[in-house]
Amino acid sequence: MIQVNVLPVAPNHFPNAAASGSKGSTQGADPLQLLDVPEEWTAFSLPDKDAKGRWRSSVVFEGMHCAACAITLEDALRAVPGVLSVQISGASHRGQIVWSSEVTRPSDWMRSVERHGYKALPANDAHSQALRREESRRMVWRWAVAALCMMQVMMYATPAYLTLPGEISDEAMHLLRWASWVLSLPVILFSCAPFLRNAWRDLCERQISMDLPVALGMAVTFGVSTLGTFEPKGPFGAEVFFDSFTMFVFFLLTGRWLELRMRDRTAGALEAVLNRLPDCVRKRQTDGSWTLLSIRRLQVGDVIEVLPGEAFAGDGLVLAGQTQVDEALLTGESRPLARRAGDRVIAGSHNLSGTLQVQIEQIGAATRYAQIVALIESASVSKPAMALLVDRWAKPFLVTVMLASLASAIYWWPTDPAHAVMVAVAVLIVTCPCALSLATPAAMLATAGALARSGVLVRRLSALQNLAHIDTVIFDKTGTLTRDAFEVIRIHVREGVSQAQVLNWAGSLARHSLHPVSRALWSEARRRADAPGSLSALEALAAHNVSERAGLGMQGQLLDPGRPEMDLRLGSAAFCAAPVFAGHHLQVSLADASGWLACFELAEQVRPEAARVVRQLAELGLTLQILSGDGQTAVAQVAHAVGIDDAQGGCSPQHKLQVLQGLQAQGRKVAMVGDGLNDGPVLAGADVSFALGQAVPLAQSKSDFVLMGGQLDVLVSTVLRSRQTLRIVKQNLLWSAVYNAACVPLALMGWLPAWAAGLGMALSSLLVVLNAMRLSQTLPEALPQQNPSPQSV
């Protein structure tokens, strides 16, 4: 007999739960009901410590396209009894819902979302990545079909614009119309399907979004052109507008696809970090055996086994074993940390080398990992003032567009119904904010391309506008102003040996380890060996029987010509029975069988360009500050080395975020340059954020810019380019405003035919794009540069 232990169904598998179930009671079950089990809530929700029975859930919404969609969803969710508050970001398509478990369940408010034509998924849903890939694939196909058909339709429409009356026969013109109609069918049936479907949803729910006037313009243009094709002698047969129709669809899909690509890259990196915890663990039972257990059934006091390469499921105490752990995602500390019996480990960190037995002390929302994630989620859905302004005017603007088109049709209908329809179409086309919508993204895309060539990846185009207004820059220290490496700055030796000797001995032993300290010692030995006669001395050394002791150091035998074989130890003062020297730098000792030989003091290395970048940013009128989790002494030294007066050490993620919010409350526009998961909350809450190329995925997903080369030099040029971009954007907006101010009255009065409206829309868009292209050619002049030597602290 085979015994099967059935584990609780994880919420990240619920989309396929009904389909994968066997026939019987599971067939046809509502997958959302799986989320109503309290044990599953912790996968995507956190309990409110201040109110019993109150939960804060993080979800991702499908089907959103604009700020009006966010307003619709917020109104729908607030109408559900038991939902206390809702925050939805139209940019990231993520939201936080605060609800009472005494009144409602997740399936209740998720069904409310589905009734409005959208879909809500837990923020850590395993299927969300596959769904995003499928959505992106469909978008590319729709865009490709629209592009191909647009080019062909434009070719068939050219004779109508370039020939004089009588130069082409009516039969040939009619044939060209039929060809354009056939080529427009895939566009209206396939490429326009999402817009038409969303518009129908808006009508059914008596809501309005950007897709409703867009779909109406598509349908009216295609419908009028179709009537003109089938009945060339009828009231609508004078001309057709398939070229304007396909071109409009192509431009719209291009913008939607670019937005989708940027959003997906951000969401993918975020979920990769938020899902760091293991799905199951090995728990020790009372009889000493081990059993596989779902992490959702883990309780405080349980003893689990953690193998090398696995993540810790909760905060706990090491009972047995020794290893090195990677806590970079939680503390920003890039160095592996030694852990043995009696030490504590934190959830989300990784076990690198040995097998441990850990007694769980904190799980779920009580862990430090969950607290940092909660800060990140809260900052990501908060809305800046500009977003609130857009939300406030989104629906009134759309209603105004619809009413203007309807009013023009009603006004002209008694005179000539055919002319009335043409006027309405012209109003819809000319009021379509094509140039207005391209004014900002076209300039920012051009700048993004220029920045990409200089090694800066722009994650959010809107950040370019924010960057032009910043007045304060906050730096993290470790990995940002300093390199992710150590530098040997001082060597203490016992009498009878030289610094060169002990460095060669330590380097020969250290070359067998990948630890950052070992790499620093070996690199320093190699650097000094470049001197004449030194390299042969280093190469003559041979270490063997080398072994590492986790958290202590390494030991082995060393053969040095002319000396007896030496038994060496390299590591901590306790491991080497060595003295500890005064100072705040990291100290690594070397000892032989006779005792202590040497002590190496190592320091972080300040990036060689850091001081120059700080000086150039100050010359631009920016206020500079350092917030770091390291000790105040170390932070002050780095600040002095780079030329920053305001520096704070010992900052937790919460304290960093509080300082940031305090500056923003004073009206400051703040940019954050950081690295590590503990920078995630402040990166998300800053007006503009930068992450270095070696930053962890979460920091990158929450940052607006990624410095792919890991160098700070491009920070100054990025600020300069953002200011130039803002000037181009203002020029584009001015032109768009002039165009609409001139053409909208003409269309309403019936003096602007539909073809002229379509041509004006195309020309205005072309002018905006050509003006924006200047950004890819004209770059701001670089400030004078110097090349100082690296500084160590």
Side-chain angles (χ1 to χ4, degrees):
M1 177 180 295
I2 299 177
Q3 183 178 0
V4 178
N5 295 326
V6 180
L7 299 178
V9 180
N12 54 0
H13 298 297
F14 80 87
N16 294 333
S20 60
S22 60
K23 294 181 179 180
S25 59
T26 61
Q27 187 172 8
D30 186 357
L32 292 180
Q33 291 182 352
L34 298 176
L35 295 179
D36 290 343
V37 181
E39 288 78 8
E40 306 296 336
W41 296 347
T42 56
F44 63 101
S45 307
L46 290 175
D48 193 331
K49 297 180 180 179
D50 299 329
K52 183 178 180 181
R54 180 179 297 181
W55 292 78
R56 184 181 300 271
S57 298
S58 298
V59 295
V60 177
F61 296 97
E62 293 184 359
M64 290 181 58
H65 296 292
C66 61
C69 295
I71 297 175
T72 299
L73 284 171
E74 290 179 349
D75 293 341
L77 287 168
R78 290 192 183 102
V80 178
V83 174
L84 305 177
S85 67
V86 182
Q87 277 189 315
I88 299 176
S89 170
S92 64
H93 294 194
R94 302 175 72 91
Q96 280 194 345
I97 295 92
V98 179
W99 52 281
S100 172
S101 60
E102 299 176 355
V103 182
T104 187
R105 288 292 186 270
S107 62
D108 296 332
W109 45 265
M110 285 187 175
R111 287 193 190 96
S112 174
V113 171
E114 291 185 350
R115 283 194 296 269
H116 285 75
Y118 303 90
K119 188 174 183 180
L121 294 175
N124 66 340
D125 188 271
H127 294 270
S128 58
Q129 186 175 1
L131 292 174
R132 288 198 311 272
R133 286 197 301 266
E134 179 64 20
E135 183 183 2
S136 179
R137 187 184 66 85
R138 289 194 300 265
M139 180 69 75
V140 170
W141 273 107
R142 292 189 176 99
W143 175 84
V145 168
L148 179 63
C149 294
M150 177 195 68
M151 291 186 291
Q152 297 299 318
V153 170
M154 290 295 293
M155 182 180 65
Y156 293 144
T158 301
Y161 297 111
L162 300 182
T163 60
L164 297 175
E167 289 186 350
I168 184 171
S169 64
D170 293 341
E171 292 79 7
M173 185 63 70
H174 192 53
L175 181 61
L176 292 176
R177 287 189 179 186
W178 273 99
S180 298
W181 179 78
V182 171
L183 288 170
S184 298
L185 284 176
V187 178
I188 190 68
L189 297 177
F190 180 66
S191 299
C192 297
F195 304 102
L196 299 176
R197 183 169 55 250
N198 294 338
W200 179 253
R201 175 200 64 199
D202 291 340
L203 291 175
C204 293
E205 297 295 332
R206 297 181 180 179
Q207 299 286 343
I208 187 171
S209 68
M210 187 67 73
D211 287 341
L212 184 57
V214 166
L216 182 59
M218 293 175 178
V220 171
T221 305
F222 180 79
V224 170
S225 300
T226 299
L227 292 175
T229 301
F230 279 82
E231 297 183 9
K233 302 298 184 182
F236 306 109
E239 53 185 327
V240 294
F241 312 99
F242 293 117
D243 52 343
S244 298
F245 164 69
T246 54
M247 182 174 58
F248 172 64
V249 174
F250 169 74
F251 282 137
L252 190 60
L253 287 176
T254 300
R256 289 285 177 90
W257 181 75
L258 291 174
E259 177 189 353
L260 181 66
R261 287 286 296 171
M262 294 182 61
R263 189 181 73 247
D264 287 352
R265 293 184 66 179
T266 300
L270 176 64
E271 291 172 2
V273 177
L274 295 185
N275 294 335
R276 282 181 62 87
L277 298 183
D279 293 328
C280 55
V281 296
R282 285 171 298 279
K283 175 189 173 184
R284 188 175 68 186
Q285 302 187 101
T286 54
D287 59 0
S289 62
W290 301 91
T291 182
L292 199 63
L293 182 74
S294 169
I295 189 176
R296 293 173 183 83
R297 298 178 59 186
L298 191 63
Q299 297 180 358
V300 174
D302 289 345
V303 177
I304 63 173
E305 184 182 44
V306 184
L307 301 179
E310 295 182 345
F312 294 98
D315 297 346
L317 178 68
V318 178
L319 300 181
Q322 62 180 13
T323 187
Q324 290 185 320
V325 299
D326 177 12
E327 296 182 355
L329 284 173
L330 299 173
T331 65
E333 176 56 65
S334 58
R335 295 177 296 176
L337 303 176
R339 293 292 183 266
R340 64 181 71 182
D343 294 335
R344 283 178 167 76
V345 292
I346 55 179
S349 59
H350 270 96
N351 181 15
L352 297 180
S353 54
T355 301
L356 297 181
Q357 293 183 18
V358 178
Q359 185 176 36
I360 298 299
E361 296 179 333
Q362 300 284 354
I363 59 174
T367 64
R368 184 169 182 264
Y369 172 79
Q371 295 167 5
I372 294 178
V373 168
L375 286 174
I376 295 172
E377 292 286 358
S378 177
S380 65
V381 299
S382 61
K383 296 180 180 180
M386 183 172 291
L388 295 174
L389 182 63
V390 171
D391 289 352
R392 188 180 304 115
W393 290 101
K395 287 190 175 182
F397 171 77
L398 295 174
V399 171
T400 301
V401 170
M402 300 285 292
L403 292 178
S405 178
L406 179 61
S408 63
I410 294 175
Y411 178 81
W412 289 101
W413 190 267
T415 304
D416 185 354
H419 182 64
V421 174
M422 293 298 100
V423 171
V425 170
V427 172
L428 282 174
I429 294 175
V430 81
T431 55
C432 175
C434 188
L436 195 62
S437 62
L438 284 174
T440 300
M444 293 185 175
L445 281 173
T447 299
L451 289 174
R453 289 190 292 272
S454 63
V456 181
L457 176 63
V458 182
R459 302 301 301 271
R460 297 179 181 89
L461 295 181
S462 60
L464 286 169
Q465 180 178 351
N466 296 337
L467 182 59
H469 295 293
I470 65 165
D471 51 33
T472 304
V473 179
I474 298 177
F475 288 95
D476 181 39
K477 180 183 74 70
T478 305
T480 302
L481 293 173
T482 64
R483 287 176 170 174
D484 188 14
F486 292 96
E487 179 187 12
V488 179
I489 61 169
R490 191 174 296 109
I491 302 177
H492 307 273
V493 298
R494 78 183 185 192
E495 294 183 1
V497 294
S498 65
Q499 291 188 2
Q501 284 179 318
V502 296
L503 184 60
N504 286 341
W505 295 342
S508 297
L509 200 64
R511 68 184 300 181
H512 296 273
S513 171
L514 295 177
H515 193 280
V517 171
S518 299
R519 294 200 303 268
L521 290 172
W522 171 242
S523 297
E524 181 67 12
R526 290 285 298 176
R527 186 185 68 82
R528 297 194 183 189
D530 290 338
S534 300
L535 184 59
S536 58
L538 179 62
E539 291 179 340
L541 301 177
H544 59 95
N545 296 330
V546 179
S547 61
E548 286 193 72
R549 299 278 299 276
L552 295 176
M554 56 193 307
Q555 60 187 13
Q557 283 77 45
L558 183 71
L559 293 176
D560 186 358
R563 289 177 175 269
E565 184 178 74
M566 294 183 292
D567 292 326
L568 296 179
R569 284 192 172 195
L570 179 66
S572 64
F575 183 60
C576 299
V580 178
F581 293 85
H584 63 275
H585 297 298
L586 176 66
Q587 298 182 14
V588 179
S589 299
L590 179 69
D592 61 6
S594 301
W596 173 76
L597 276 172
C599 177
F600 306 91
E601 291 193 36
L602 297 95
E604 292 177 300
Q605 188 180 86
V606 177
R607 293 181 181 273
E609 75 277 11
R612 180 180 67 250
V613 170
V614 167
R615 175 179 57 81
Q616 293 176 347
L617 291 175
E619 291 175 357
L620 294 177
L622 302 177
T623 301
L624 306 177
Q625 186 176 353
I626 297 178
L627 296 178
S628 175
D630 294 348
Q632 180 62 38
T633 302
V635 174
Q637 287 190 339
V638 172
H640 177 73
V642 300
I644 297 179
D645 297 329
D646 190 355
Q648 298 183 38
C651 299
S652 65
Q654 294 89 340
H655 182 254
K656 288 184 179 181
L657 188 59
Q658 289 173 358
V659 173
L660 171 71
Q661 292 173 343
L663 292 172
Q664 291 175 329
Q666 299 173 13
R668 310 296 292 270
K669 301 297 181 182
V670 184
M672 173 68 190
V673 187
D675 185 8
L677 178 61
N678 58 331
D679 296 323
V682 69
L683 284 172
D687 297 286
V688 182
S689 55
F690 291 84
L692 272 68
Q694 71 270 23
V696 296
L698 181 59
Q700 292 186 0
S701 71
K702 284 300 174 186
S703 66
D704 301 308
F705 301 89
V706 180
L707 310 183
M708 300 304 294
Q711 300 294 322
L712 294 176
D713 297 278
V714 292
L715 190 61
V716 179
S717 61
T718 303
V719 174
L720 293 174
R721 292 178 188 182
S722 69
R723 295 180 178 181
Q724 184 187 15
T725 301
L726 186 60
R727 290 195 297 269
I728 297 295
V729 167
K730 290 180 179 179
Q731 294 172 7
N732 288 343
L733 291 174
L734 178 61
W735 159 250
S736 301
V738 170
Y739 160 74
N740 281 277
C743 294
V744 170
L746 295 177
L748 290 172
M749 297 174 66
W751 294 349
L752 189 69
W755 66 266
L759 182 61
M761 181 189 68
L763 289 178
S764 64
S765 301
L766 180 61
L767 182 61
V768 165
V769 172
L770 290 177
N771 190 34
M773 286 179 62
R774 296 192 298 132
L775 290 167
S776 62
Q777 301 174 357
T778 305
L779 301 180
E781 295 182 359
L783 295 176
Q785 293 188 4
Q786 301 175 359
N787 294 304
S789 301
Q791 301 182 57
S792 300
V793 294

